[in-house]
Amino acid sequence: QSALTQPASVSGSPGQSITVSCTGTSSDIGSYNYVSWYQQHPGKAPKLLIYDVSNRPSGISNRFSGSKSGNAASLTISGLQAEDEAAYYCCSYTNRSTRVFGGGTKLTVL
Amino acid sequence: EVQVVESGGGLVKPGGSLRLSCAASGFTFSSYTMNWVRQAPGKGLEWVSSITTTSRYISYADSVKGRFTISRDNAENSLYLQMNSLRAEDTAVYYCAGGWSNHFDYWGQGTLVTVSS
């Protein structure tokens, strides 16, 4: 199972919006609405931001939103803040009943 | 308050074995699918294994299939990972993560496994 494809890095200025893409295949993202997104600050455990493509857990800011089209998913962060600087990972359920992560995207807030 | 605490990591020689444990509290452990996710130094996240609530369904990444065994004890709110035939490429921080469905709601802080001679 190959990893989902994410850009290595994205950047944006405070207040702007950015989008992180996550490309899979018909065996994972394309077949299930089980895409989730995680934020990880250096030296910390990952934190769930989005589950089932577009749902936010309790306590997660509505500045974070998710969507999916075909074999690709995306995470949008609006109103960028300095504390959003972190690594972001997508994850999908697969047709082999496994899970697969993306390679991760490093967000820099300029 | 949700707490997930991994233990059992350490230094082991190639070909050796190690058993990781995960103690969970603050949520209904027996209702959550439990998982192991690992992260090699400076690298991204890699899903390792999942076990459903009653242990009926278990799955593994191809990279560990046949060498690692996941198990759980709902009476003790605990998750385990028996790792055999360890290789240098298994060196990573291993996270225990619980999920209501096909995602990971709760994470521990991880335990470091180093495979080196």
Side-chain angles (χ1 to χ4, degrees), chain A residues 34 38 40 45 93 96-97 99, chain B residues 39 44 47 59 62 102 104 108:
Chain A
Y34 291 135
Y38 303 86
Q40 187 181 33
Y93 183 76
R96 295 173 60 207
S97 301
R99 284 77 170 159
Chain B
Q39 187 169 35
W47 172 82
S59 52
D62 288 343
N102 291 299
F104 314 112

Side-chain angles (χ1 to χ4, degrees), chain A residues 25-100:
Chain A
T25 69
S26 57
S27 297
D28 37 67
I29 293 177
S31 290
Y32 304 96
N33 288 324
Y34 291 135
V35 177
S36 51
W37 289 89
Y38 303 86
Q39 177 191 61
Q40 187 181 33
H41 287 104
K44 300 294 188 181
K47 175 183 177 182
L48 177 66
L49 293 178
I50 298 287
Y51 67 95
D52 295 351
V53 176
S54 59
N55 295 294
R56 279 188 310 276
S58 174
I60 298 300
S61 170
N62 59 10
R63 297 188 301 107
F64 296 93
S65 63
S67 63
K68 184 189 107 166
S69 178
N71 295 340
S74 60
L75 171 73
T76 298
I77 308 174
S78 59
L80 266 182
Q81 300 177 0
E83 56 263 37
D84 296 333
E85 186 161 295
Y88 292 84
Y89 295 91
C90 59
C91 183
S92 176
Y93 183 76
T94 81
N95 63 359
R96 295 173 60 207
S97 301
T98 61
R99 284 77 170 159
V100 61

Side-chain angles (χ1 to χ4, degrees), chain B residues 7-30:
Chain B
S7 60
L11 176 63
V12 62
K13 289 181 169 53
S17 298
L18 212 54
R19 189 191 195 212
L20 304 184
S21 299
C22 168
S25 61
F27 63 100
T28 308
F29 180 84
S30 59

Side-chain angles (χ1 to χ4, degrees), chain A residues 7-31:
Chain A
S9 63
V10 297
S11 62
S13 300
Q16 288 185 331
S17 294
I18 63 96
T19 296
V20 180
S21 62
C22 173
T23 303
T25 69
S26 57
S27 297
D28 37 67
I29 293 177
S31 290

Side-chain angles (χ1 to χ4, degrees), chain B residues 50-99:
Chain B
S50 291
I51 184 169
T52 55
T53 55
T54 61
S55 304
R56 180 173 182 180
Y57 297 106
I58 288 175
S59 52
Y60 298 97
D62 288 343
S63 57
V64 307
K65 194 175 296 183
R67 300 187 298 122
F68 290 11
T69 302
I70 191 172
S71 61
R72 65 188 296 163
D73 183 338
N74 287 342
E76 295 292 328
N77 288 350
S78 294
L79 176 73
Y80 306 99
L81 186 68
Q82 177 67 43
M83 304 186 295
N84 298 331
S85 303
L86 282 162
R87 306 165 180 166
E89 54 264 38
D90 295 319
T91 294
V93 172
Y94 283 73
Y95 293 102
C96 168

